[in-house]
Amino acid sequence: MIVMMMKKKLCCCIWFILSNLLPVFVVSAMNHGNPANELVNIINENRTAQKLPILKDNPGLGCMALQYAEECKANCTSNNTLSCQPADDDFTEIFAPNCGVELPTFDIISGRIVGCQFKHIEPSQAFSDILVRDKKSLSLLISKGHTEVGVGFIGNNHGPFFWCILFSSGQTNSTFVLEDGGRGIKQKRGCFSGTNIQCSGVDEIDLFLNTLSVILIIFICYISGTMMP
């Protein structure tokens, strides 16, 4: 009778663990995508609300935004501000070559917005709390001179997380063209807009650790149960 009660408690223990960790799996699955694309949608929704034309999501511009964020990843201050200003030459000498952007198609960068945060937040919150939180960034967002946009996002499991928005006033469909459709880009961390490539090195770590934790806990409970007389 005592053994049956102990095994029943073991089953309840396993059920309690799974039911509490299930929301973590759901959140991880929801976050496992491309937040850079989500931010572009938010940008265009805000421009549409101001009766402005939407901006073309340019993957070449997005890839360079990711390179920009990568270069600035060590410059997030304790109050979530980014003290980093890469030289203009870095775009043509570093960012574009790293992305495989065909240099004859390189066009005008008409604006940039950058921000960082030590905790992982959703694109909508990053937009309002980090990137577009003053009149200067709002004015840049709704500028009539922009025609294209690209977003880069990078971070790790413990932060900080970096966002970079690049705007261009170039001719759409013919600027920042990626060689071979971007297939030569080796994206080890983060993600950029204009592609279906999911973020790497951000949410996958959380999902892996959560899965490993569940497996270990269930295994320990199972072993404990089998050792009962």
Side-chain angles (χ1 to χ4, degrees), residues 156-187:
N156 55 54
N157 192 41
H158 301 291
F161 299 89
F162 296 87
W163 297 86
C164 176
I165 306 171
L166 293 181
F167 300 100
S168 173
S169 57
Q171 295 292 325
T172 58
N173 301 320
S174 62
T175 58
F176 307 104
V177 176
L178 293 173
E179 296 174 358
D180 199 25
R183 284 186 285 275
I185 299 170
K186 294 182 180 180
Q187 180 189 331

PDB file of all heavy atoms in Angstrom, residues 156-187:
ATOM      1  N   ASN A 156      22.774  36.762 -27.219  1.00  0.00           N
ATOM      2  CA  ASN A 156      23.070  35.429 -26.723  1.00  0.00           C
ATOM      3  C   ASN A 156      22.151  35.123 -25.556  1.00  0.00           C
ATOM      4  O   ASN A 156      21.301  35.929 -25.196  1.00  0.00           O
ATOM      5  CB  ASN A 156      24.547  35.296 -26.313  1.00  0.00           C
ATOM      6  CG  ASN A 156      24.955  36.348 -25.295  1.00  0.00           C
ATOM      7  OD1 ASN A 156      24.333  36.487 -24.252  1.00  0.00           O
ATOM      8  ND2 ASN A 156      25.998  37.103 -25.605  1.00  0.00           N
ATOM      9  N   ASN A 157      22.323  33.953 -24.964  1.00  0.00           N
ATOM     10  CA  ASN A 157      21.378  33.494 -23.964  1.00  0.00           C
ATOM     11  C   ASN A 157      21.286  34.412 -22.751  1.00  0.00           C
ATOM     12  O   ASN A 157      20.249  34.497 -22.110  1.00  0.00           O
ATOM     13  CB  ASN A 157      21.764  32.074 -23.513  1.00  0.00           C
ATOM     14  CG  ASN A 157      20.675  31.406 -22.698  1.00  0.00           C
ATOM     15  OD1 ASN A 157      19.505  31.518 -23.014  1.00  0.00           O
ATOM     16  ND2 ASN A 157      21.053  30.717 -21.652  1.00  0.00           N
ATOM     17  N   HIS A 158      22.349  35.103 -22.427  1.00  0.00           N
ATOM     18  CA  HIS A 158      22.359  35.953 -21.237  1.00  0.00           C
ATOM     19  C   HIS A 158      22.416  37.445 -21.577  1.00  0.00           C
ATOM     20  O   HIS A 158      22.578  38.277 -20.689  1.00  0.00           O
ATOM     21  CB  HIS A 158      23.550  35.578 -20.354  1.00  0.00           C
ATOM     22  CG  HIS A 158      23.540  34.140 -19.911  1.00  0.00           C
ATOM     23  ND1 HIS A 158      22.614  33.638 -19.016  1.00  0.00           N
ATOM     24  CD2 HIS A 158      24.321  33.090 -20.271  1.00  0.00           C
ATOM     25  CE1 HIS A 158      22.839  32.350 -18.824  1.00  0.00           C
ATOM     26  NE2 HIS A 158      23.861  31.987 -19.577  1.00  0.00           N
ATOM     27  N   GLY A 159      22.289  37.787 -22.862  1.00  0.00           N
ATOM     28  CA  GLY A 159      22.321  39.179 -23.263  1.00  0.00           C
ATOM     29  C   GLY A 159      23.725  39.737 -23.250  1.00  0.00           C
ATOM     30  O   GLY A 159      24.665  39.057 -22.871  1.00  0.00           O
ATOM     31  N   PRO A 160      23.911  40.963 -23.706  1.00  0.00           N
ATOM     32  CA  PRO A 160      22.839  41.844 -24.203  1.00  0.00           C
ATOM     33  C   PRO A 160      22.378  41.479 -25.610  1.00  0.00           C
ATOM     34  O   PRO A 160      23.029  40.705 -26.303  1.00  0.00           O
ATOM     35  CB  PRO A 160      23.508  43.224 -24.190  1.00  0.00           C
ATOM     36  CG  PRO A 160      24.957  42.932 -24.407  1.00  0.00           C
ATOM     37  CD  PRO A 160      25.227  41.632 -23.710  1.00  0.00           C
ATOM     38  N   PHE A 161      21.252  42.066 -26.002  1.00  0.00           N
ATOM     39  CA  PHE A 161      20.678  41.869 -27.325  1.00  0.00           C
ATOM     40  C   PHE A 161      20.738  43.191 -28.083  1.00  0.00           C
ATOM     41  O   PHE A 161      20.492  44.248 -27.526  1.00  0.00           O
ATOM     42  CB  PHE A 161      19.227  41.389 -27.209  1.00  0.00           C
ATOM     43  CG  PHE A 161      19.103  40.079 -26.483  1.00  0.00           C
ATOM     44  CD1 PHE A 161      18.958  40.041 -25.106  1.00  0.00           C
ATOM     45  CD2 PHE A 161      19.149  38.881 -27.176  1.00  0.00           C
ATOM     46  CE1 PHE A 161      18.860  38.833 -24.429  1.00  0.00           C
ATOM     47  CE2 PHE A 161      19.050  37.666 -26.514  1.00  0.00           C
ATOM     48  CZ  PHE A 161      18.910  37.641 -25.136  1.00  0.00           C
ATOM     49  N   PHE A 162      21.078  43.114 -29.362  1.00  0.00           N
ATOM     50  CA  PHE A 162      21.283  44.305 -30.171  1.00  0.00           C
ATOM     51  C   PHE A 162      20.330  44.342 -31.357  1.00  0.00           C
ATOM     52  O   PHE A 162      20.102  43.327 -32.021  1.00  0.00           O
ATOM     53  CB  PHE A 162      22.727  44.361 -30.695  1.00  0.00           C
ATOM     54  CG  PHE A 162      23.756  44.486 -29.616  1.00  0.00           C
ATOM     55  CD1 PHE A 162      24.254  43.369 -28.997  1.00  0.00           C
ATOM     56  CD2 PHE A 162      24.201  45.737 -29.210  1.00  0.00           C
ATOM     57  CE1 PHE A 162      25.192  43.479 -27.982  1.00  0.00           C
ATOM     58  CE2 PHE A 162      25.135  45.854 -28.204  1.00  0.00           C
ATOM     59  CZ  PHE A 162      25.633  44.728 -27.592  1.00  0.00           C
ATOM     60  N   TRP A 163      19.803  45.523 -31.614  1.00  0.00           N
ATOM     61  CA  TRP A 163      18.951  45.771 -32.773  1.00  0.00           C
ATOM     62  C   TRP A 163      19.577  46.865 -33.623  1.00  0.00           C
ATOM     63  O   TRP A 163      20.105  47.838 -33.089  1.00  0.00           O
ATOM     64  CB  TRP A 163      17.564  46.243 -32.328  1.00  0.00           C
ATOM     65  CG  TRP A 163      16.782  45.253 -31.526  1.00  0.00           C
ATOM     66  CD1 TRP A 163      16.838  45.060 -30.175  1.00  0.00           C
ATOM     67  CD2 TRP A 163      15.822  44.317 -32.012  1.00  0.00           C
ATOM     68  NE1 TRP A 163      15.968  44.073 -29.790  1.00  0.00           N
ATOM     69  CE2 TRP A 163      15.332  43.594 -30.896  1.00  0.00           C
ATOM     70  CE3 TRP A 163      15.318  44.027 -33.287  1.00  0.00           C
ATOM     71  CZ2 TRP A 163      14.372  42.602 -31.009  1.00  0.00           C
ATOM     72  CZ3 TRP A 163      14.369  43.034 -33.401  1.00  0.00           C
ATOM     73  CH2 TRP A 163      13.905  42.333 -32.286  1.00  0.00           C
ATOM     74  N   CYS A 164      19.506  46.713 -34.925  1.00  0.00           N
ATOM     75  CA  CYS A 164      19.967  47.767 -35.825  1.00  0.00           C
ATOM     76  C   CYS A 164      18.997  47.880 -36.996  1.00  0.00           C
ATOM     77  O   CYS A 164      18.653  46.887 -37.628  1.00  0.00           O
ATOM     78  CB  CYS A 164      21.374  47.462 -36.346  1.00  0.00           C
ATOM     79  SG  CYS A 164      21.972  48.679 -37.553  1.00  0.00           S
ATOM     80  N   ILE A 165      18.533  49.104 -37.247  1.00  0.00           N
ATOM     81  CA  ILE A 165      17.664  49.393 -38.396  1.00  0.00           C
ATOM     82  C   ILE A 165      18.431  50.296 -39.346  1.00  0.00           C
ATOM     83  O   ILE A 165      18.936  51.340 -38.947  1.00  0.00           O
ATOM     84  CB  ILE A 165      16.370  50.109 -37.958  1.00  0.00           C
ATOM     85  CG1 ILE A 165      15.648  49.326 -36.861  1.00  0.00           C
ATOM     86  CG2 ILE A 165      15.446  50.329 -39.156  1.00  0.00           C
ATOM     87  CD1 ILE A 165      14.489  50.087 -36.232  1.00  0.00           C
ATOM     88  N   LEU A 166      18.527  49.879 -40.604  1.00  0.00           N
ATOM     89  CA  LEU A 166      19.144  50.713 -41.630  1.00  0.00           C
ATOM     90  C   LEU A 166      18.101  51.097 -42.665  1.00  0.00           C
ATOM     91  O   LEU A 166      17.312  50.260 -43.120  1.00  0.00           O
ATOM     92  CB  LEU A 166      20.298  49.965 -42.320  1.00  0.00           C
ATOM     93  CG  LEU A 166      21.536  49.645 -41.473  1.00  0.00           C
ATOM     94  CD1 LEU A 166      22.570  48.934 -42.334  1.00  0.00           C
ATOM     95  CD2 LEU A 166      22.127  50.898 -40.844  1.00  0.00           C
ATOM     96  N   PHE A 167      18.087  52.364 -43.028  1.00  0.00           N
ATOM     97  CA  PHE A 167      17.185  52.872 -44.060  1.00  0.00           C
ATOM     98  C   PHE A 167      18.000  53.252 -45.293  1.00  0.00           C
ATOM     99  O   PHE A 167      19.159  53.642 -45.192  1.00  0.00           O
ATOM    100  CB  PHE A 167      16.421  54.103 -43.564  1.00  0.00           C
ATOM    101  CG  PHE A 167      15.562  53.856 -42.359  1.00  0.00           C
ATOM    102  CD1 PHE A 167      16.006  54.210 -41.086  1.00  0.00           C
ATOM    103  CD2 PHE A 167      14.301  53.296 -42.488  1.00  0.00           C
ATOM    104  CE1 PHE A 167      15.218  54.000 -39.972  1.00  0.00           C
ATOM    105  CE2 PHE A 167      13.500  53.077 -41.378  1.00  0.00           C
ATOM    106  CZ  PHE A 167      13.962  53.429 -40.115  1.00  0.00           C
ATOM    107  N   SER A 168      17.355  53.178 -46.439  1.00  0.00           N
ATOM    108  CA  SER A 168      17.988  53.613 -47.686  1.00  0.00           C
ATOM    109  C   SER A 168      16.979  54.382 -48.519  1.00  0.00           C
ATOM    110  O   SER A 168      15.763  54.125 -48.454  1.00  0.00           O
ATOM    111  CB  SER A 168      18.509  52.414 -48.477  1.00  0.00           C
ATOM    112  OG  SER A 168      18.978  52.827 -49.747  1.00  0.00           O
ATOM    113  N   SER A 169      17.496  55.320 -49.301  1.00  0.00           N
ATOM    114  CA  SER A 169      16.646  56.073 -50.237  1.00  0.00           C
ATOM    115  C   SER A 169      16.933  55.654 -51.675  1.00  0.00           C
ATOM    116  O   SER A 169      16.647  56.386 -52.609  1.00  0.00           O
ATOM    117  CB  SER A 169      16.894  57.581 -50.065  1.00  0.00           C
ATOM    118  OG  SER A 169      18.273  57.880 -50.265  1.00  0.00           O
ATOM    119  N   GLY A 170      17.508  54.464 -51.844  1.00  0.00           N
ATOM    120  CA  GLY A 170      17.879  53.979 -53.170  1.00  0.00           C
ATOM    121  C   GLY A 170      16.691  53.478 -53.973  1.00  0.00           C
ATOM    122  O   GLY A 170      15.561  53.407 -53.480  1.00  0.00           O
ATOM    123  N   GLN A 171      16.969  53.114 -55.202  1.00  0.00           N
ATOM    124  CA  GLN A 171      15.939  52.560 -56.085  1.00  0.00           C
ATOM    125  C   GLN A 171      15.639  51.119 -55.658  1.00  0.00           C
ATOM    126  O   GLN A 171      16.532  50.281 -55.580  1.00  0.00           O
ATOM    127  CB  GLN A 171      16.427  52.563 -57.538  1.00  0.00           C
ATOM    128  CG  GLN A 171      16.641  53.946 -58.117  1.00  0.00           C
ATOM    129  CD  GLN A 171      15.323  54.693 -58.296  1.00  0.00           C
ATOM    130  OE1 GLN A 171      14.293  54.115 -58.620  1.00  0.00           O
ATOM    131  NE2 GLN A 171      15.365  56.003 -58.086  1.00  0.00           N
ATOM    132  N   THR A 172      14.388  50.846 -55.362  1.00  0.00           N
ATOM    133  CA  THR A 172      14.023  49.504 -54.923  1.00  0.00           C
ATOM    134  C   THR A 172      14.216  48.498 -56.052  1.00  0.00           C
ATOM    135  O   THR A 172      14.166  48.836 -57.226  1.00  0.00           O
ATOM    136  CB  THR A 172      12.558  49.460 -54.455  1.00  0.00           C
ATOM    137  OG1 THR A 172      11.710  49.894 -55.528  1.00  0.00           O
ATOM    138  CG2 THR A 172      12.343  50.365 -53.255  1.00  0.00           C
ATOM    139  N   ASN A 173      14.457  47.237 -55.665  1.00  0.00           N
ATOM    140  CA  ASN A 173      14.643  46.098 -56.576  1.00  0.00           C
ATOM    141  C   ASN A 173      15.972  46.108 -57.323  1.00  0.00           C
ATOM    142  O   ASN A 173      16.222  45.225 -58.134  1.00  0.00           O
ATOM    143  CB  ASN A 173      13.492  45.995 -57.601  1.00  0.00           C
ATOM    144  CG  ASN A 173      12.142  45.846 -56.951  1.00  0.00           C
ATOM    145  OD1 ASN A 173      12.002  45.127 -55.959  1.00  0.00           O
ATOM    146  ND2 ASN A 173      11.137  46.525 -57.495  1.00  0.00           N
ATOM    147  N   SER A 174      16.824  47.097 -57.068  1.00  0.00           N
ATOM    148  CA  SER A 174      18.111  47.116 -57.771  1.00  0.00           C
ATOM    149  C   SER A 174      19.267  47.529 -56.869  1.00  0.00           C
ATOM    150  O   SER A 174      20.376  47.736 -57.344  1.00  0.00           O
ATOM    151  CB  SER A 174      18.034  48.074 -58.970  1.00  0.00           C
ATOM    152  OG  SER A 174      17.782  49.401 -58.542  1.00  0.00           O
ATOM    153  N   THR A 175      19.019  47.629 -55.556  1.00  0.00           N
ATOM    154  CA  THR A 175      20.064  48.069 -54.635  1.00  0.00           C
ATOM    155  C   THR A 175      20.401  46.979 -53.624  1.00  0.00           C
ATOM    156  O   THR A 175      19.556  46.155 -53.278  1.00  0.00           O
ATOM    157  CB  THR A 175      19.629  49.335 -53.886  1.00  0.00           C
ATOM    158  OG1 THR A 175      18.414  49.063 -53.177  1.00  0.00           O
ATOM    159  CG2 THR A 175      19.407  50.483 -54.838  1.00  0.00           C
ATOM    160  N   PHE A 176      21.649  47.007 -53.159  1.00  0.00           N
ATOM    161  CA  PHE A 176      22.141  46.081 -52.143  1.00  0.00           C
ATOM    162  C   PHE A 176      21.833  44.624 -52.515  1.00  0.00           C
ATOM    163  O   PHE A 176      21.340  43.847 -51.701  1.00  0.00           O
ATOM    164  CB  PHE A 176      21.546  46.420 -50.774  1.00  0.00           C
ATOM    165  CG  PHE A 176      21.735  47.858 -50.384  1.00  0.00           C
ATOM    166  CD1 PHE A 176      20.675  48.759 -50.459  1.00  0.00           C
ATOM    167  CD2 PHE A 176      22.970  48.332 -49.985  1.00  0.00           C
ATOM    168  CE1 PHE A 176      20.848  50.093 -50.106  1.00  0.00           C
ATOM    169  CE2 PHE A 176      23.154  49.670 -49.631  1.00  0.00           C
ATOM    170  CZ  PHE A 176      22.095  50.551 -49.694  1.00  0.00           C
ATOM    171  N   VAL A 177      22.120  44.283 -53.733  1.00  0.00           N
ATOM    172  CA  VAL A 177      21.842  42.934 -54.234  1.00  0.00           C
ATOM    173  C   VAL A 177      22.865  41.956 -53.668  1.00  0.00           C
ATOM    174  O   VAL A 177      24.079  42.193 -53.711  1.00  0.00           O
ATOM    175  CB  VAL A 177      21.883  42.903 -55.774  1.00  0.00           C
ATOM    176  CG1 VAL A 177      21.686  41.482 -56.287  1.00  0.00           C
ATOM    177  CG2 VAL A 177      20.825  43.843 -56.345  1.00  0.00           C
ATOM    178  N   LEU A 178      22.387  40.843 -53.134  1.00  0.00           N
ATOM    179  CA  LEU A 178      23.270  39.828 -52.571  1.00  0.00           C
ATOM    180  C   LEU A 178      23.739  38.863 -53.649  1.00  0.00           C
ATOM    181  O   LEU A 178      22.929  38.387 -54.458  1.00  0.00           O
ATOM    182  CB  LEU A 178      22.540  39.043 -51.471  1.00  0.00           C
ATOM    183  CG  LEU A 178      22.178  39.825 -50.202  1.00  0.00           C
ATOM    184  CD1 LEU A 178      21.325  38.962 -49.285  1.00  0.00           C
ATOM    185  CD2 LEU A 178      23.429  40.281 -49.483  1.00  0.00           C
ATOM    186  N   GLU A 179      25.026  38.590 -53.675  1.00  0.00           N
ATOM    187  CA  GLU A 179      25.576  37.643 -54.639  1.00  0.00           C
ATOM    188  C   GLU A 179      24.954  36.261 -54.440  1.00  0.00           C
ATOM    189  O   GLU A 179      24.816  35.787 -53.315  1.00  0.00           O
ATOM    190  CB  GLU A 179      27.103  37.544 -54.463  1.00  0.00           C
ATOM    191  CG  GLU A 179      27.842  38.838 -54.766  1.00  0.00           C
ATOM    192  CD  GLU A 179      29.317  38.742 -54.440  1.00  0.00           C
ATOM    193  OE1 GLU A 179      29.737  37.683 -53.941  1.00  0.00           O
ATOM    194  OE2 GLU A 179      30.040  39.726 -54.681  1.00  0.00           O
ATOM    195  N   ASP A 180      24.577  35.630 -55.538  1.00  0.00           N
ATOM    196  CA  ASP A 180      24.010  34.283 -55.510  1.00  0.00           C
ATOM    197  C   ASP A 180      22.816  34.198 -54.567  1.00  0.00           C
ATOM    198  O   ASP A 180      22.586  33.181 -53.899  1.00  0.00           O
ATOM    199  CB  ASP A 180      25.082  33.276 -55.083  1.00  0.00           C
ATOM    200  CG  ASP A 180      24.720  31.844 -55.459  1.00  0.00           C
ATOM    201  OD1 ASP A 180      23.941  31.656 -56.414  1.00  0.00           O
ATOM    202  OD2 ASP A 180      25.198  30.918 -54.788  1.00  0.00           O
ATOM    203  N   GLY A 181      22.051  35.275 -54.498  1.00  0.00           N
ATOM    204  CA  GLY A 181      20.853  35.283 -53.662  1.00  0.00           C
ATOM    205  C   GLY A 181      21.113  35.181 -52.181  1.00  0.00           C
ATOM    206  O   GLY A 181      20.217  34.872 -51.390  1.00  0.00           O
ATOM    207  N   GLY A 182      22.367  35.443 -51.787  1.00  0.00           N
ATOM    208  CA  GLY A 182      22.693  35.396 -50.365  1.00  0.00           C
ATOM    209  C   GLY A 182      23.055  34.019 -49.854  1.00  0.00           C
ATOM    210  O   GLY A 182      23.274  33.829 -48.656  1.00  0.00           O
ATOM    211  N   ARG A 183      23.159  33.047 -50.747  1.00  0.00           N
ATOM    212  CA  ARG A 183      23.452  31.683 -50.303  1.00  0.00           C
ATOM    213  C   ARG A 183      24.878  31.529 -49.783  1.00  0.00           C
ATOM    214  O   ARG A 183      25.194  30.559 -49.100  1.00  0.00           O
ATOM    215  CB  ARG A 183      23.197  30.692 -51.451  1.00  0.00           C
ATOM    216  CG  ARG A 183      21.712  30.424 -51.694  1.00  0.00           C
ATOM    217  CD  ARG A 183      21.537  29.330 -52.728  1.00  0.00           C
ATOM    218  NE  ARG A 183      21.820  29.809 -54.074  1.00  0.00           N
ATOM    219  CZ  ARG A 183      20.935  30.415 -54.856  1.00  0.00           C
ATOM    220  NH1 ARG A 183      19.710  30.626 -54.412  1.00  0.00           N
ATOM    221  NH2 ARG A 183      21.258  30.812 -56.064  1.00  0.00           N
ATOM    222  N   GLY A 184      25.757  32.472 -50.095  1.00  0.00           N
ATOM    223  CA  GLY A 184      27.131  32.376 -49.611  1.00  0.00           C
ATOM    224  C   GLY A 184      27.353  32.983 -48.237  1.00  0.00           C
ATOM    225  O   GLY A 184      28.447  32.913 -47.702  1.00  0.00           O
ATOM    226  N   ILE A 185      26.306  33.564 -47.645  1.00  0.00           N
ATOM    227  CA  ILE A 185      26.446  34.199 -46.338  1.00  0.00           C
ATOM    228  C   ILE A 185      26.529  33.134 -45.249  1.00  0.00           C
ATOM    229  O   ILE A 185      25.699  32.242 -45.172  1.00  0.00           O
ATOM    230  CB  ILE A 185      25.255  35.133 -46.043  1.00  0.00           C
ATOM    231  CG1 ILE A 185      25.180  36.250 -47.082  1.00  0.00           C
ATOM    232  CG2 ILE A 185      25.357  35.725 -44.642  1.00  0.00           C
ATOM    233  CD1 ILE A 185      23.915  37.065 -46.995  1.00  0.00           C
ATOM    234  N   LYS A 186      27.550  33.227 -44.429  1.00  0.00           N
ATOM    235  CA  LYS A 186      27.684  32.320 -43.299  1.00  0.00           C
ATOM    236  C   LYS A 186      27.176  33.032 -42.049  1.00  0.00           C
ATOM    237  O   LYS A 186      27.898  33.791 -41.415  1.00  0.00           O
ATOM    238  CB  LYS A 186      29.142  31.891 -43.128  1.00  0.00           C
ATOM    239  CG  LYS A 186      29.665  31.039 -44.268  1.00  0.00           C
ATOM    240  CD  LYS A 186      31.100  30.607 -44.022  1.00  0.00           C
ATOM    241  CE  LYS A 186      31.604  29.752 -45.177  1.00  0.00           C
ATOM    242  NZ  LYS A 186      33.012  29.317 -44.975  1.00  0.00           N
ATOM    243  N   GLN A 187      25.938  32.774 -41.726  1.00  0.00           N
ATOM    244  CA  GLN A 187      25.300  33.444 -40.589  1.00  0.00           C
ATOM    245  C   GLN A 187      25.417  32.538 -39.368  1.00  0.00           C
ATOM    246  O   GLN A 187      24.694  31.569 -39.220  1.00  0.00           O
ATOM    247  CB  GLN A 187      23.833  33.726 -40.903  1.00  0.00           C
ATOM    248  CG  GLN A 187      23.095  34.417 -39.766  1.00  0.00           C
ATOM    249  CD  GLN A 187      21.606  34.473 -40.037  1.00  0.00           C
ATOM    250  OE1 GLN A 187      21.185  34.510 -41.182  1.00  0.00           O
ATOM    251  NE2 GLN A 187      20.813  34.471 -38.989  1.00  0.00           N
TER     252      GLN A 187
END
